[in-house]
Amino acid sequence: GNHVIPNVHFRKVNGMTKGGHYRAMFRTWFDQAARKKRRSQNRKAKAARMAPRPVAGLLRPVVHPPTQRYNMKLRLGKGFTLEELREAKISPKLAPTIGIAVDHRRRNKCAESLQANVNRLKLYKSKLLIFPKKSGKKGVKKGDTPKSELQNVAQNTLKEIIPVERPALRVKARAITSEEKESSAFKTLKKCRTNLKYDGAKRKKAAEGKEEK
């Protein structure tokens, strides 16, 4: 047939062929153990530099990523909204000074996520220990933790400061109930769309009925 005549170059293998012309270039990884040791030393140095503050830095909120593909997951966001801080009774100006990230652009779209982050802030506040900026009695300010509670404080080395509680996505198989069999998701949505479409007309009719009375 009209196929290409096979002309495969099997001699060009990963080793040497004739001289160094066709020699394959390999990337070695002899420094793997040394890199591991260096990363560990860097982590320890960072922890010592940031002590007694958490190694992870600022406390971040739990958010749902955008798009349908990822919105069932949970991850850390940029910062807490002003509404979340207000609910937790924390001033937006005070928040960064006590290790809480603030994002004035983010908005809360549902009550569930708002409440989850408010609970996260309240838990953080309950565990928070504030060290005085200066030594001596004059250095102690209102809101600082008493000196008796600041002895042998362990540093927080967790990646998320407060771990994110991720729900189990797998649902265990079970029998379908009689209520589920009788109900129809299509009919429910159709009814909602119909109510939305005729909502204005219904209100207008009700208002006219009141005026006639």
Side-chain angles (χ1 to χ4, degrees):
N2 295 327
H3 298 300
V4 177
I5 297 167
N7 186 23
V8 288
H9 294 208
F10 286 126
R11 288 172 62 227
K12 293 179 184 175
V13 290
N14 279 342
M16 282 172 54
T17 51
K18 290 184 178 178
H21 185 61
Y22 288 131
R23 185 178 293 170
M25 305 301 284
F26 294 103
R27 176 156 186 175
T28 58
W29 200 12
F30 301 131
D31 61 342
Q32 183 182 8
R35 277 170 175 264
K36 182 182 178 181
K37 187 177 179 182
R38 186 172 67 188
R39 286 197 302 271
S40 176
Q41 288 172 343
N42 286 344
R43 282 196 297 271
K44 286 173 185 173
K46 184 185 176 183
R49 194 168 60 247
M50 295 192 71
R53 293 170 292 166
V55 176
L58 301 174
L59 180 75
R60 309 275 175 186
V62 178
V63 297
H64 289 270
T67 72
Q68 280 186 322
R69 186 173 183 178
Y70 301 108
N71 64 8
M72 80 294 293
K73 293 176 181 272
L74 289 173
R75 66 167 173 82
L76 295 182
K78 181 182 169 65
F80 290 91
T81 62
L82 301 178
E83 192 178 353
E84 286 164 356
L85 292 168
R86 202 179 301 119
E87 288 285 324
K89 294 178 181 175
I90 299 171
S91 165
K93 286 188 177 179
L94 175 70
T97 65
I98 57 172
I100 298 169
V102 181
D103 184 9
H104 65 88
R105 296 182 188 88
R106 213 179 106 239
R107 298 284 180 269
N108 291 103
K109 296 290 180 74
C110 67
E112 289 83 1
S113 66
L114 170 69
Q115 197 56 47
N117 282 321
V118 169
N119 293 340
R120 189 171 169 83
L121 284 168
K122 285 179 179 176
L123 180 62
Y124 180 78
K125 264 178 76 178
S126 67
K127 295 183 177 184
L128 184 67
L129 298 173
I130 301 173
F131 284 72
K133 279 191 173 181
K134 297 176 184 178
S135 60
K137 289 184 179 179
K138 290 184 179 179
V140 179
K141 290 187 177 180
K142 188 185 176 183
D144 290 352
T145 308
K147 197 175 181 180
S148 59
E149 294 179 27
L150 299 176
Q151 304 299 322
N152 302 323
V153 176
Q155 187 181 16
N156 188 316
T157 54
L158 297 174
K159 196 177 180 181
E160 298 166 336
I161 301 177
I162 297 170
V164 177
E165 293 181 12
R166 290 177 172 84
L169 298 176
R170 179 167 286 194
V171 179
K172 200 173 182 181
R174 59 174 177 80
I176 299 167
T177 61
S178 57
E179 290 178 8
E180 288 172 341
K181 284 180 181 178
E182 289 171 12
S183 63
S184 170
F186 173 77
K187 286 179 181 177
T188 308
L189 288 169
K190 183 79 173 171
K191 183 71 177 170
C192 290
R193 288 197 195 100
T194 309
N195 290 343
L196 185 67
K197 185 177 180 181
Y198 296 108
D199 183 50
K202 284 178 182 177
R203 286 186 184 185
K204 189 178 178 183
K205 194 174 182 181
E208 286 173 359
K210 284 179 181 179
E211 286 175 6
E212 287 174 7
K213 288 179 182 178

